[in-house]
Every structure is written in structure tokens, then in C-alpha cells.
Amino acid sequence: MTASNTQTVTALPADLVTRINDAVDASRDELVGLVQDLVRIPSENPKLADVAPGGEANVQDRIAVVLEQLGCEIDRWDALPGRPDQVGTVRGAGGGPSLAVNGHIDVVPVGNHADWPYGPWGAEIHDGMIWGRGACDMKGGVGAMLHAALVLQRLGVRLKGDLLLEAVIDEETGGPGTRSTIERGYRPAFAVVAEPTNMTIFPVEGGLEWLRVTITGRSGHSAWRFKTVHAGGQGTAVNALEKGAKILAAVQELERAWAVRKVHPLMPAGITTINPGVMAAGSGGGQDGLPNVMTAVSTLPDYCSLELSLKYLPSEKTEEVRAEFEEYIHRVAQTDEWLREHPPTIEWGLRGVSFPPVNTPVEHPGVQTLIGCLAAAAVPVKIDGFVAVTDTAWFSEAGIPSVIFGPGTGAGAHGLDERLEIEQLVTGTKILAMMMAAWCGVEP
């Protein structure tokens, strides 16, 4: 499903840059209207909101209208039941590398409608911005990539390489949307994930792991605690919560050590955090890391779980980070008589959250081509490391180089005042159109 993967850096002719700029400016109202249409279709992620699947399918119906205008080969399938992915392929003439421009169509819940300054599904325009859930994250990027391809078609630009326009589900929970496109055979030579980046190019992002450390103890009545703690070990109870606190303190020391010695030129110092998100203790280990009983304060708990969100550098390997953490916990356990004989257990990929890192070299032709497009659009070139996680992780997992780049400053993303700057939308659309032409190549 890809064309030639020959990778070169091509500068666009000045006249084509001018034509793209003029065409996007002339169709500005159409572009804004498309994004408004997308925002007005509720598509809250069913995993996060009490809604039935179907919103994302409705968004895909609107996207399909544009794909049909483009004459795309349209492929639509359920990545999850009732939740379809959609890829439109603009088939190239041959002789150029393929490009995917990718965007997710699920959004986080809107919360209380009354708390919004403007209706969350209204897509109203105020102060030069489109307001509403998903305007910024990331229906603006999806609208930009669709309209960019439409502009090239209207200009009579024939690409050499295949262009894949990917609209995917379930990014907000790290789900299978983009992974499903790759598993289906869409493996471009380069990919742009059009998340809002304020026109900054992000070729790297760190890895992310959710994990659970489980510590067991031995239950006993608190009336006899004095025997265990203060009276020369007459008692047999072992408080798992206290042992868990020892592990938590050790994890915090590891976090500080990593912040000193783990560095990456594009990532902020200290990005390798290990956040304690949940700690639960009580009697008996139940399901999902929760004790069977959490209200018996008179009992020394025999179960404790500690859930962590661990970030690591783009240059690190998942298996090596896991091994390093496990070895550290093992060494800590060796310093405690109980833990030495009853070592903590570690569960990785908790609730399915395990994002591999992205480490696309700045020197990669795809990055350099995008840099050239920013320069052609007279936009200052900024390159940085992304501190959260995106669908670029799944391209990286598949060995596909990618970057994060799209319109929007991120204003109000996931908040009650989400909005997208129209000027950013227009400029981002121009740059994406230039990238499509420059990377895939253009027939004379």
C-alpha cells in the first residue's frame, strides 16, 4: 500500500509555494467550515464518557465526503466494534516516497455544558478562534490535512508517491486506532501526526509505561501491633502498607537519580519522572490492584499496590528501562528482611498503557523536508521534544519514522475553553500541503 520509499529532500518551486498559499487563502472559509462541521459532531471516546459508540462513525461520514471529492481509494473498517478507522489513499504516479498524515477523531468528555464559555459542540467563532471540544485536539489538524490535499488536487498537482490520509479512533486512551492502520498494511515511508504543536516540529517523544508494584504482608489485629513493632519481634504480622511506603520512598530516590544522569538534547531535564498515581492497601488482594477490604483500620494490611506512571527518554529501549527498574526494586528488597523473602511483583503495561519512545533523527529527510516547508511559508523553524505521548509511538514501534506537527497552540485542550486559532489553521494547512508535495514529489 505504499509507493517507492526513496528518501530525498526536495525544495518546492517558488511558483508552487505561491500557488499553494494563494489557494489556501482563497478557500479559507471552506477550510474553517470543514473544521466547524467536524467539531459539531460529538465524538467523545466511549471509554472515557458514558456514551455508546457511533460518534466517531458520524465524523468519518463527514470526512468521507472530502475523500470522495479527492477521488481517493477509501478504506473503512472497525478498529473497535462500532468505532471505524478510515484511510483515504491518493494514489501517486510512481517514483516518489509515500507519506501518511494522521489524525484522531475521538475527543475527551465535555463535562458540564453550562461551564463552557461557548457550547462545546457549537464550533462558534469568537476572537479569531473556533471554540469547542476537539477544535484544537485535534479536529483542526484533521481538517487541515484534508483541505491541504484538496488544495493540491484543485491546483492540478499530481503527486509521485502515495498520500495516505488517516483518520483514526481511540487516541485519547492510547487505543488501537493508528496501530490498526499499520496492521492493515499501511506502512508509509514517513508520517506526520497533525496534533496541535504551535508550528513546532517534534521528532522525538519519550516512552511511557503504567505499572503496578504489589507488596504482600501478613495480617494481624492492631491490638497486637506492639508485639510486632516494639517488643522484640514477638508478633508475626507484617504491615504491607509500611513495606509499600518503603518501596515508594525508594522509587522517589530513583526518580531523582534518573533526573541527574538521564538526558536527551531535545527533552527537558528531569523528564524521566516516575509518578505515584494510586496507592491502595488493605486485607486480601482483589482485582485491579484493589484490596478486598479497605475499611478495617483495626487490621494490619497484608496487601498493598502502588501504581506508577513512568516516563523514559526517546533514546532508551523499553525492555532495558523495564529491566533497570526491576533490578532496582530487587536491590531495595534485599535491604529488608521481609521483602527479601517476599519480593514485590511488578506488572507492566497496566490497563494497556505502554507507549514506545519516538526518536526520529533531526537529520532524517522527512524532518528536513518539513523544515524546508516551514522556511518556504516564512514560519520560524522550532524543533523540540514532546513531553506527552501521541500516535507517533505506534509508527515508531513499526519502524516508521514520524514527527508531530500541526496547527494550534494547544489552547484549552482537554479543558472547558478548548479553541483553535484560525490563523494557525490556515498556516498549518499551507505547510501540510507543501509537505505533501515536497515529500511525495510532483509530476512535471
Side-chain angles (χ1 to χ4, degrees), residues 112-393:
N112 188 348
H113 288 216
D115 293 335
W116 285 72
Y118 308 105
W121 309 120
E124 297 179 37
I125 296 176
H126 299 277
D127 304 320
M129 294 179 281
I130 304 170
W131 294 71
R133 174 61 81 228
C136 170
D137 184 17
M138 63 167 292
K139 292 177 178 178
V142 172
M145 75 184 193
L146 294 171
H147 195 72
L150 199 58
V151 162
L152 292 179
Q153 182 204 60
R154 290 171 177 171
L155 291 175
V157 174
R158 180 75 190 280
L159 302 177
K160 293 181 179 179
D162 291 347
L163 173 64
L164 311 177
L165 301 170
E166 301 182 347
V168 302
I169 64 151
D170 207 38
E171 188 272 350
E172 294 294 359
T173 65
T178 292
R179 263 180 165 169
S180 184
T181 67
I182 296 167
E183 292 166 359
R184 201 166 174 87
Y186 294 101
R187 302 181 65 90
F190 193 73
V192 177
V193 175
E195 292 273 11
T197 68
N198 196 23
M199 301 302 163
T200 298
I201 299 172
F202 290 94
V204 303
E205 71 178 28
L208 174 68
E209 288 282 337
W210 283 10
L211 64 142
R212 178 187 295 134
V213 182
T214 301
I215 302 99
T216 57
R218 185 178 291 152
S219 63
H221 198 292
S222 63
W224 302 106
R225 176 177 167 82
F226 70 92
K227 289 188 174 184
T228 300
V229 178
H230 300 299
Q234 300 175 65
T236 59
V238 176
N239 191 311
L241 176 55
E242 291 176 319
K243 298 302 181 183
K246 179 177 287 191
I247 295 297
L248 175 58
V251 167
Q252 291 173 320
E253 288 298 321
L254 178 63
E255 180 185 51
R256 284 186 281 270
W258 279 3
V260 172
R261 66 179 173 85
K262 293 195 174 191
V263 295
H264 187 283
L266 291 179
M267 301 298 290
I271 192 62
T272 51
T273 55
I274 312 173
N275 181 61
V278 176
M279 192 171 190
S283 300
Q287 294 184 338
D288 297 325
L290 294 177
N292 294 325
V293 179
M294 296 184 68
T295 56
V297 182
S298 61
T299 301
L300 274 70
D302 63 359
Y303 178 90
C304 179
S305 65
L306 176 61
E307 297 185 2
L308 306 166
S309 176
L310 181 154
K311 293 182 179 181
Y312 57 101
L313 296 180
S315 52
E316 295 186 283
K317 297 184 181 301
T318 305
E319 59 273 17
E320 293 176 359
V321 172
R322 289 182 174 185
E324 181 181 356
F325 183 87
E326 289 175 355
E327 172 60 23
Y328 177 80
I329 296 300
H330 172 75
R331 285 189 278 111
V332 171
Q334 295 306 298
T335 67
D336 181 278
E337 184 175 351
W338 173 263
L339 294 176
R340 186 164 56 248
E341 299 299 324
H342 305 83
T345 60
I346 301 173
E347 176 187 351
W348 295 96
L350 187 64
R351 301 185 185 92
V353 178
S354 178
F355 283 79
V358 179
N359 199 30
T360 306
V362 175
E363 297 78 19
H364 188 278
V367 181
Q368 291 298 311
T369 300
L370 186 53
I371 288 172
C373 293
L374 265 74
V379 174
V381 175
K382 295 179 288 183
I383 300 176
D384 209 344
F386 205 69
V387 298
V389 289
T390 69
D391 274 350
T392 52

